[in-house]
Amino acid sequence: MRFSLLTLFFCHFAFAQTQYPKNDFRPPLDIPMQLSGNFGELRPNHFHAGFDLKTNQREGLNVYAIADGYVSRIKISTFGNGKCIYITHANGYTSVYGHLQTTVGEIQEYVKKNHYKEKAYEIEMFPKPNELPVTKGQLIALSGNTGSSEGPHLHFEIRDTKTEFVINPIFFGFDKNIKDTKKPTISSVYVYPLGNSTVNQSRQPLLLNVALQKDGTYLASKVKANGKFGFGISAVDYDDVSFNKNGVFNVSTFLNGNENYNYQFNTYSFDEMRFVNALIDYGKYKKSGQRVQKLFMKTPYALSIIKTDSLRGIIPVEPNLASTYRIEVSDYFGNLSAITVPVEYDAATPIVAAEPVMSKYLIKVNKDTNFEKDNMSVFFPAGTFYDDFNLNFDVKNNRIYIHDDTVPVHSNFTITIKDDSYPETLRDKLFIGRISGNSSSYNGTIRKGDVFTAKSKTLGQFGIVLDTVAPVIKITKPVEGKWISDQKKVEFIISDASSGIKSYNGYLNGNWILFEYENKTKKITHTFDDSLLAEGANDLKVEVIDNVGNSTIFETHFFRSQQK
């Protein structure tokens, strides 16, 4: 991964304000707009790509097309945005509606037809412009809780149709639907000594004390330092009606009145999403759950929203020179919170030493690196990490130890293990798993003879795992031999204890039928369709296969009358 410094270093930090249409779009719901998540909010491994709109803590609310256009993409997934519709509009933008309970009307007929055509629940469709046209305000779906949603809501995005960059929906006139008179909250300020620097006689990061001033701004305790250092903050934003923590819109820092670091959540590409792990203090997040946003870059990384000077937000301190550092955090509506930090040189001997370096293996960001011991190895391509660091590596007790998950990984690294201890008959049941305690998680594994290879974006312990246990299928309401003429659906809970479920299929009287899968409950559900049922006796079969090929078949029969 190569970084261009020219894309990062600017003397002037003003963001160009694209003129987005303000009156083309209506809200996607017909209830007052309330946010449970805003654009750019810091999420695990990604920035939030749109608005999360509250749906009164329930599913089934009407979802409308925000403008004329056509359905250009429909994606049905068990993770991510779940059931999701994309509508392309004539003004150059595409709107996205995620976590849907169901699509409706002609869209639903189109989706169902393709489910049965592909004989799969997880599908992706790209209708032609004339296949599914929609008008502004047309009902397209019902809101839901599908995919990786943690509760009922509507995920709503606006993208540039050509580039597919996501754009902050607030720019499209939706600011008039949100009341916000509250300042962002900066809950903590940290200072980070860099290299052999000392800050307040410490070579480890410190939390600064902050006091409220009469003018409504805050003053932090003085930083006395020698060498170079940077700052970090924990900050959230609130509006007047939602009462939940949202992400901040703009962060700017100034050294002696000159802006030296800034980011604003206007627009970015999906390729940049994982840089959230470079923006935050990832180690602190993994240890405590607190997301501290760093206001400096030790090593440049290509996150386009960041504008900085040649020092990348790093603060140098010189003898006999005092400085003033200022942090400003603001929302779209101009509400602003500010913290001033006095800075001066201090050559005092450190009292708190830096954390000891426990490993002799140095990883350089822009260099390919390979480590090998016994029958195991790991390969890190250049650009796998964000900063140089000392890696812990070892092989013992049939496991490869690759540091731990307090260091963020940007792109895949490769693990290779040679293992001939299992007979050939069992080797197809083996995979490389990431091991934590007594459990392991599956990594897609390629086998050539007795050599196993897998890729990962998470550091930790890995080893060969044997899975000979078939998945489990349990029906939630038994139907064996029963008349179920009034029953609307049949449900199963499916699970696998080791490698995880790869696929499942259901058959009614020998014909494939659609089961919808909900990963949060591990349920698959088939809603009965009279056109697929036989009068009287019906045979039902469900087959589940895990990631190494173990399979389980559940068979039952029931009776049903089509007579009304």
Side-chain angles (χ1 to χ4, degrees), residues 232-502:
I233 58 170
S234 293
V236 295
D237 193 25
Y238 300 85
D239 60 39
D240 291 6
V241 295
S242 298
F243 306 112
N244 53 277
K245 298 176 181 178
N246 291 319
V248 299
F249 175 65
N250 182 286
V251 177
S252 296
T253 68
F254 304 82
L255 182 62
N256 298 325
N258 297 311
E259 192 167 17
N260 70 332
Y261 195 88
N262 171 271
Y263 53 88
Q264 181 168 298
F265 286 102
N266 292 353
T267 178
Y268 41 81
S269 73
F270 281 92
D271 290 341
E272 299 178 78
M273 290 292 191
R274 199 170 177 88
F275 283 122
V276 67
N277 293 334
L279 180 69
I280 66 172
D281 181 341
Y282 185 83
K284 179 176 283 293
Y285 166 64
K286 296 302 293 187
K287 293 174 183 177
S288 69
Q290 182 185 18
R291 289 189 178 96
V292 176
Q293 303 170 51
K294 293 187 292 185
L295 306 179
F296 64 95
M297 286 187 281
K298 289 176 64 177
T299 306
Y301 55 90
L303 177 57
S304 62
I305 64 170
I306 294 180
K307 313 299 178 186
T308 182
D309 61 11
S310 60
L311 293 177
R312 306 187 302 275
I314 294 172
I315 312 299
V317 182
E318 299 179 8
N320 304 318
L321 290 178
S323 300
T324 300
Y325 183 81
R326 182 177 172 88
I327 304 166
E328 293 184 355
V329 179
S330 58
D331 59 27
Y332 173 84
F333 299 91
N335 303 304
L336 182 146
S337 294
I339 293 178
T340 298
V341 187
V343 176
E344 67 179 36
Y345 179 82
D346 182 20
T349 301
I351 297 175
V352 180
E355 289 189 10
V357 175
M358 304 301 293
S359 173
K360 61 182 179 182
Y361 302 109
L362 177 63
I363 294 288
K364 303 289 287 186
V365 168
N366 294 315
K367 183 179 179 181
D368 291 349
T369 308
N370 187 78
F371 295 100
E372 185 173 355
K373 182 179 178 181
D374 298 336
N375 60 334
M376 301 187 186
S377 67
V378 58
F379 173 69
F380 301 111
T384 301
F385 302 101
Y386 302 112
D387 291 311
D388 299 347
F389 75 102
N390 291 92
L391 175 89
N392 291 314
F393 168 81
D394 201 359
V395 172
K396 55 185 178 181
N397 301 323
N398 296 318
R399 292 186 185 179
I400 182 170
Y401 292 77
I402 313 170
H403 208 77
D404 58 59
D405 191 27
T406 59
V407 174
V409 178
H410 186 75
S411 55
N412 281 320
F413 59 90
T414 303
I415 303 159
T416 302
I417 299 175
K418 183 177 181 180
D419 191 317
D420 59 3
S421 62
Y422 292 89
E424 183 65 32
T425 54
L426 288 179
R427 288 182 187 174
D428 285 340
K429 304 300 181 185
L430 300 172
F431 65 91
I432 294 178
R434 183 174 182 272
I435 300 168
S436 179
N438 294 322
S439 64
S440 63
S441 56
Y442 176 79
N443 288 84
T445 302
I446 297 173
R447 180 178 75 90
K448 292 183 179 180
D450 56 6
V451 178
F452 300 81
T453 303
K455 296 184 181 298
S456 178
K457 286 185 178 180
T458 306
L459 299 176
Q461 301 176 29
F462 297 84
I464 293 293
V465 179
L466 173 66
D467 179 9
T468 59
V469 180
V472 175
I473 306 173
K474 295 181 180 179
I475 190 167
T476 60
K477 184 179 181 181
V479 298
E480 179 75 21
K482 296 181 180 179
W483 284 88
I484 58 168
S485 302
D486 296 327
Q487 190 167 318
K488 294 182 178 180
K489 60 185 179 181
V490 61
E491 292 181 336
F492 294 86
I493 297 175
I494 60 175
S495 60
D496 187 78
S498 186
S499 62
I501 293 168
K502 180 179 181 180

Side-chain angles (χ1 to χ4, degrees), residues 529-549:
D529 182 336
D530 288 348
S531 66
L532 303 176
L533 290 158
E535 178 70 23
N538 287 266
D539 294 318
L540 178 65
K541 182 174 79 169
V542 174
E543 181 180 23
V544 179
I545 303 174
D546 68 18
N547 278 297
V548 295

Side-chain angles (χ1 to χ4, degrees), residues 188-223:
S188 57
V189 180
Y190 287 86
V191 59
Y192 291 83
L194 301 176
N196 293 319
S197 299
T198 301
V199 175
N200 293 352
Q201 294 186 278
S202 173
R203 288 189 170 171
Q204 294 188 27
L206 294 174
L207 177 65
L208 298 180
N209 294 320
V210 176
L212 178 64
Q213 305 299 292
K214 291 182 178 180
D215 63 358
T217 64
Y218 289 83
L219 179 65
S221 55
K222 183 178 292 185
V223 169

